[in-house]
Amino acid sequence: MADSTPQSCDVAIVGGGPAGLAAAVALRKAGVASVVVLEREAQAGGIPRHCGHYPFGMREFNRVLRGPDYAARLVARALKSGVDIRTSVTVTALNPGGRLGLSTPEGAAELAAKRVLLCTGVREKSRAARLIGGEKPGGVLSTGALQGLVYLNHQKPFSRPVVLGTELVSFSALLTCRHMGIRPVAMVEPASRVTARWPTRLLPKLLRIPLLLDTGISAIHGGSKVTGVDLVTPDGGTRHIDCDGVIVTGAFLPEASLLRASHLAVDPASGGPDIDQFGRCSDPAYFAAGNLLRAVETAGWSWAEGRRAGNTIAHDLKSSLPEPREGLRLVMASDALKYAVPQRVAYPAGSPRSTTKIQLRVTRPVEGRLGLRIDGTELWSKPLSAMPERRLTVPVSMLPDGRKGTAEFFVREQAK
Amino acid sequence: MSQDSSSEVFDVAVIGGGVIGCAVARKFALEGARVVMLEKALDILDGASKGNSAILHTGFDAPPGSLELACIKAGYAEYLDIRERLNLPLVRAGALVLAWTEEQEAALPGLMEQARTNGITDIQPLTAAEALKLEPELAGTLRAAFRVPREHLIDPWSAPHAYLLQAIENGAVLRRDCEVLGGIYDGVAWRLETSRGGVQARLVVNAAGLYGDIVDERLTGRRDFHIKPRKGQFVVFDKTAARLTTHILLPVPSKTTKGIVVCRTAYGNLLVGPTAEEQEDRSVAELVPGALAALRRRGEEILPALAGEEVTAIYAGLRPATEYKDYRIRAHEGKAYITVGGIRSTGLSSALGVARYVQALAVKLGLPAQPLAEPVWPRLPALTDEGQRDWRAAGNAGIVCHCELVTRREVEAAMEGPLAPQTLAGLKRRTRVTMGRCQGFYCSAELAAMTRDRLAVAMTETADG
């Protein structure tokens, strides 16, 4: 990067992963002149950069790619589209009206953008945040850290780790281990079932790794390196197993620290920004897309969200979107419902630039009916069969146009 | 040191590189002594000084008339005096002592009287309403409080690093991975036997913290006290939680502990802790999920808005408590030996005061003092937002730890010099890398690459070997 970071631009995109890069390309294609992607890592591409396995890219490139190749293609396409990608630039503050505080290798800087799109993604919940006890030896890694070490550095942090979690990313961790000749001694899951979908769950059997359900980790042992863990067994007892590392996978959280430290409204339920169906934040100069909105969807889903956000912002720069505060706020009226994204709908809801789906999540496995009511009147209900780790969508068109106030989503559970 | 210095007779050997040992080494070095520090671990600050609540105490609640109080007051004053020259942080937070029950409320006047007896005369009694006005996020069940304006927050690691660095830059020698196994005093000098050979010194200061009684026994043949490690677990919340309180929130203390504190850290996080759990083991401070969850709940009882905040880090430390209440600092007549023991939980505040006291004892034992005319004053890198952080400066080579905004240049600088770390833990204490909310999700790979072949304990073994 020869020249220094610009002081102003049309659209600044915070985060150069699949969502941010897709948005940048869409903006350029829509004729927006200056689109700057701010990426804090030394290379753009986001998390797929260090997922050295398949399958990425079906939706975006009509072929199956490994993560790093997929990331490289996203970057190449953005550069070809005339996107200004600034790497090793960290956004340190989101100020009202689209003014960003930055840290660059040349020191602190500011960037004033007409619109800002936040695509800061997710991170895995750390061992600390899970309050796992014991000591603090080296060799306790998230999947992200493991993949960085293995795929970017070609290092082998351990050879016989325990894997905590059974999400999609947990199986990605198994593939990463296999790549480096690491043989996990067990895969443990506190819940009674595997989180990820079939056929991923066949992987431990294929790799001959014991899968222990109803089992948690209560303590990690070791001085400078892990020597073992204490497992909480299904009968409530404790069992020690020897291992030399722990991979703490999944339980993703939106990487929302920048957002939380800013003037923008945050939805405590999703952990992401409070947005309307255009992806617009409480300050209309700011938009958000990708996994920052909620944890966690695939790279392809985030890419599609980013592309849509890019188109919306391009539209907004030419002619403004509906007034942000005129519309419905979506409220979860059942403890079985965790959150809805977007959190509010501006009118007219049927604007072509709008997302077409409201994403909902449940807090536990639910069978019954999902419904919507406004002012105590039930508008509709439909059959519901949902798991907490799966997205559930409701077309925006199922919200009544022109209503203001709050709309309550509720669940009527089937008697068991 | 590369040269063989086993034949050199040092003026002072300081055993133990905790905050006390570092301050003592600095004091003797500034007084013109040739100092050697012997630390059994791979890095300094690896024992009791590893985990504390990072408060610079006034001593308002210390036992009146105690040596602890005298050392806290002297240490507090000297910290304020030297911190700008060493570039050490100070967050002028002030503390509130909070009463939540009738019993605690009844104890407040006595505590305030004790504070005044201890010379802390600027305390202010507060009604619940007044306290809530100062700290609106406090739970409404508060009954009463008083304010101690000069309780402050400091950085528990840059302070001792600065003390030892100043000692080294004024001639002191650091030997790590160097455990004292025994020794003989021949009337002129000690011949210490260590895991890395012999060391000779005219005076020995035992600042071995959690191993103080063991070192006393190895060198003097007796123990005047017994270390009873007291574990303290802490939960650290993310930086957005720091807005929930300005003050250090202290409970009414019980007989054995200051109780659970809620306060910001100099780095802009919020911590809740410590627990107080007696144990036998001197080296392992186990984190216990139930205790951590209880700390989190206690934090939420005090600041209800904490419920929505993320936990960034968990840690546990061991305080070197003894069967006695006060510090155990004493010169052994005829032995040129000083024990600095039982510095249980106020060591960070008192260290500089302890060092003065120890140096005065050494003079009485006959060690001459010849203060350096122009001592070197190293400046520590600014790690708190109060200082000019490197990420704001040109030429920082980019950020490696995104959560704590640590630059490559800061990591490189920390990896150089006489106090370069030999472990990742040491690098963390010097730079704060991986200490943030992601706990290494993003920066582990890059740090492993940057520190390859440069740490005694590698972050990873390499794939090819």
Side-chain angles (χ1 to χ4, degrees):
Chain A
M1 224 56 58
D3 49 343
S4 60
T5 321
Q7 293 181 325
S8 65
C9 64
D10 291 325
V11 181
I13 296 170
V14 185
L21 293 172
V25 170
L27 282 158
R28 288 289 302 142
K29 279 189 176 160
V32 175
S34 61
V35 179
V36 180
V37 171
L38 304 166
E39 169 55 53
R40 63 188 189 177
E41 304 257 347
Q43 284 170 355
I47 286 179
R49 269 180 64 227
H50 45 75
C51 300
H53 51 75
Y54 302 103
F56 289 88
M58 270 313 287
R59 188 187 318 229
E60 304 86 328
F61 301 106
N62 293 316
R63 53 186 293 184
V64 178
L65 299 166
R66 284 181 204 268
D69 302 330
Y70 167 75
R73 276 177 177 249
L74 291 178
V75 172
R77 189 185 271 184
L79 290 173
K80 201 174 149 201
S81 307
V83 175
D84 184 359
I85 300 179
R86 299 286 168 156
T87 54
S88 298
V89 173
T90 302
V91 178
T92 55
L94 309 175
N95 297 312
R99 288 176 301 108
L100 303 177
L102 310 178
S103 171
T104 78
E106 293 81 43
E110 288 193 358
L111 172 61
K114 289 177 187 158
R115 299 290 184 276
V116 176
L117 176 63
L118 304 174
C119 300
T120 50
V122 277
R123 65 169 187 273
E124 291 167 282
K125 191 169 182 175
S126 71
R127 173 258 172 108
R130 298 175 200 229
L131 306 183
I132 297 173
E135 299 167 72
K136 294 174 74 176
V140 181
L141 300 175
S142 63
T143 315
L146 170 74
Q147 292 181 333
L149 289 168
V150 168
Y151 291 122
L152 303 182
N153 289 16
H154 309 289
Q155 285 176 302
K156 183 177 179 180
F158 35 57
S159 44
R160 296 160 39 252
V162 165
V163 179
L164 174 63
T166 56
E167 296 180 39
L168 195 56
V169 68
S170 321
F171 296 96
S172 171
L174 294 187
L175 292 174
T176 305
C177 286
R178 199 168 81 121
H179 177 85
M180 190 45 81
I182 298 167
R183 292 204 50 101
V185 292
M187 183 174 214
V188 304
E189 166 60 55
S192 306
R193 58 193 173 81
V194 172
T195 310
R197 281 174 198 264
W198 189 91
T200 319
R201 62 179 60 169
L202 299 177
L203 202 56
K205 206 165 213 174
L206 287 173
L207 298 176
R208 280 184 285 172
I209 296 164
L211 173 62
L212 309 174
L213 297 175
D214 289 311
T215 304
I217 297 178
S218 59
I220 299 173
H221 297 288
S224 63
K225 293 273 174 188
V226 174
T227 56
V229 296
D230 288 340
L231 299 181
V232 183
T233 52
D235 57 11
T238 302
R239 178 160 77 94
H240 180 91
I241 57 171
D242 290 340
C243 60
D244 64 354
V246 182
I247 310 174
V248 181
T249 71
F252 283 96
L253 302 163
E255 177 59 293
S257 38
L258 196 53
L259 177 77
R260 291 162 64 93
S262 77
H263 64 297
L264 300 171
V266 177
D267 177 7
S270 69
D274 183 297
I275 57 168
D276 65 15
Q277 81 272 37
F278 303 105
R280 184 169 48 177
C281 300
S282 56
D283 174 347
Y286 285 86
F287 289 72
N291 279 329
L292 170 64
L293 299 182
R294 90 290 73 190
V296 55
E297 294 289 354
T298 61
W301 179 276
S302 296
W303 178 87
E305 262 176 1
R307 187 173 62 167
R308 189 181 313 111
N311 284 326
T312 305
I313 294 169
H315 177 78
D316 189 34
L317 285 168
K318 280 181 268 176
S319 59
S320 69
L321 296 173
E323 273 301 306
R325 280 180 187 79
E326 298 287 305
L328 281 174
R329 174 157 290 279
L330 309 182
V331 174
M332 303 301 103
S334 159
D335 63 3
L337 292 172
K338 192 173 179 197
Y339 61 75
V341 172
Q343 290 79 1
R344 54 198 158 81
V345 176
Y347 285 107
S351 163
R353 305 296 165 191
S354 157
T355 178
T356 53
K357 287 174 189 146
I358 293 165
Q359 303 169 47
L360 297 160
R361 287 276 175 128
V362 292
T363 53
R364 49 185 155 82
V366 179
E367 299 285 331
R369 292 185 77 78
L370 170 71
L372 184 79
R373 61 179 177 241
I374 295 180
D375 298 335
T377 309
E378 184 174 322
L379 300 186
W380 51 258
S381 74
K382 62 172 192 171
L384 174 70
S385 172
M387 300 287 240
E389 61 276 9
R390 316 250 188 276
R391 109 180 57 99
L392 182 70
T393 59
V394 171
V396 174
S397 58
M398 289 187 74
L399 295 177
D401 215 334
R403 298 288 291 267
K404 291 175 192 174
T406 56
E408 294 181 325
F409 280 107
F410 64 90
V411 168
R412 257 198 306 275
E413 287 186 71
Q414 229 161 50
K416 289 195 176 117
Chain B
M1 292 298 111
S2 55
Q3 84 223 43
D4 174 24
S5 49
S6 60
S7 58
E8 179 180 358
V9 181
F10 290 94
D11 292 320
V12 182
V14 179
I15 302 172
V19 66
I20 298 295
C22 291
V24 168
R26 169 183 176 270
K27 183 63 182 170
F28 279 110
L30 293 180
E31 294 294 332
R34 175 90 171 136
V35 177
V36 62
M37 171 177 281
L38 309 173
E39 166 55 52
K40 79 177 170 62
L42 282 170
D43 196 15
I44 63 165
L45 309 180
D46 197 50
S49 300
K50 187 156 62 174
N52 59 57
S53 44
I55 299 171
L56 185 65
H57 291 292
T58 55
F60 80 92
D61 58 351
S66 63
L67 177 59
E68 180 181 16
L69 174 62
C71 289
I72 290 174
K73 294 189 78 163
Y76 182 102
E78 187 168 356
Y79 184 87
L80 293 194
D81 191 42
I82 66 174
R83 70 158 194 109
E84 280 172 5
R85 272 198 281 183
L86 293 170
N87 199 30
L88 296 176
L90 180 75
V91 181
R92 295 175 195 276
L96 296 181
V97 178
L98 305 172
W100 301 95
T101 65
E102 201 175 331
E103 193 186 349
Q104 290 170 359
E105 190 175 356
L108 292 185
L111 287 170
M112 287 191 274
E113 192 46 45
Q114 184 180 351
R116 289 187 199 103
T117 305
N118 287 354
I120 313 303
T121 53
D122 56 352
I123 52 167
Q124 302 152 344
L126 301 172
T127 63
E130 288 166 335
L132 285 164
K133 202 169 170 191
L134 285 175
E135 295 295 352
E137 296 290 344
L138 279 172
T141 49
L142 184 69
R143 296 178 69 96
F146 68 90
R147 181 164 180 264
V148 191
R150 289 181 295 118
E151 291 274 301
H152 297 325
L153 299 168
I154 63 175
D155 172 352
W157 296 309
S158 66
H161 280 133
Y163 305 159
L164 185 58
L165 192 59
Q166 188 173 28
I168 290 171
E169 296 206 351
N170 288 289
V173 172
L174 168 64
R175 299 226 181 118
R176 287 178 280 199
D177 197 13
C178 182
E179 179 178 356
V180 173
L181 304 170
I184 293 168
Y185 184 62
D186 65 7
V188 179
W190 280 92
R191 281 205 308 275
L192 298 175
E193 180 201 339
T194 81
S195 56
R196 294 171 79 92
V199 173
Q200 296 185 65
R202 292 184 184 86
L203 173 75
V204 168
V205 178
N206 168 12
L210 289 158
Y211 298 85
D213 53 349
I214 294 176
V215 168
D216 263 7
E217 179 149 341
R218 284 180 185 173
L219 297 183
T220 70
R222 51 178 288 197
R223 300 181 187 207
D224 293 333
F225 57 87
H226 294 84
I227 293 291
K228 298 175 178 298
R230 193 182 298 151
K231 179 168 73 173
Q233 303 185 57
F234 293 84
V235 171
V236 182
F237 288 83
D238 200 2
K239 295 184 193 296
T240 51
R243 67 185 150 72
L244 299 180
T245 180
T246 305
H247 286 85
I248 299 160
L249 306 177
L250 302 171
V252 170
S254 74
K255 281 192 181 67
T256 53
T257 166
K258 283 175 180 291
I260 293 167
V261 179
V262 177
C263 67
R264 287 183 294 157
T265 71
Y267 310 111
N269 295 81
L270 188 95
L271 71 76
V272 180
T275 57
E277 306 158 68
E278 296 211 352
Q279 65 175 49
E280 291 295 315
D281 196 298
R282 295 165 191 253
S283 62
V284 177
E286 279 218 16
L287 293 157
V288 180
L292 297 168
L295 281 177
R296 174 159 196 147
R297 280 196 302 276
R298 183 68 197 127
E300 290 170 10
E301 283 168 12
I302 295 167
L303 293 172
L306 207 49
E309 298 292 336
E310 286 173 29
V311 171
T312 283
I314 48 179
Y315 66 95
L318 294 174
R319 290 98 106 181
T322 68
E323 65 270 47
Y324 301 100
K325 229 182 161 189
D326 205 352
Y327 292 175
R328 311 311 295 169
I329 305 180
R330 127 176 146 85
H332 298 244
E333 290 296 331
K335 278 220 163 85
Y337 182 89
I338 299 172
T339 301
V340 187
I343 314 293
R344 51 206 174 97
S345 68
T346 45
L348 183 63
S349 304
S350 68
L352 295 167
V354 168
R356 283 171 174 251
Y357 184 79
V358 169
Q359 194 262 335
L361 287 180
V363 171
K364 279 190 208 156
L365 286 177
L367 188 86
Q370 206 165 25
L372 298 180
E374 287 185 24
V376 180
W377 284 84
R379 284 183 66 79
L380 272 281
L383 296 182
T384 65
D385 286 335
E386 182 201 42
Q388 173 71 24
R389 290 285 310 273
D390 196 48
W391 64 262
R392 297 181 190 275
N396 61 47
I399 288 171
V400 55
C401 168
H402 302 301
C403 303
E404 296 294 316
L405 299 174
V406 183
T407 68
R408 282 181 192 82
R409 180 167 62 182
E410 284 177 308
V411 173
E412 283 298 337
M415 294 298 296
E416 301 294 330
L419 256 183
Q422 300 190 356
T423 61
L424 176 63
L427 182 62
K428 289 175 168 189
R429 290 194 283 267
R430 285 160 180 78
T431 62
R432 296 203 46 77
V433 288
T434 79
M435 303 279 255
R437 60 187 76 86
C438 90
Q439 296 277 298
F441 179 94
Y442 290 105
C443 62
S444 291
E446 180 147 8
L447 276 177
M450 285 183 83
T451 59
R452 210 169 202 167
D453 303 326
R454 295 168 79 181
L455 296 175
V457 179
M459 275 181 73
T460 66
E461 52 183 298
T462 56
D464 46 7

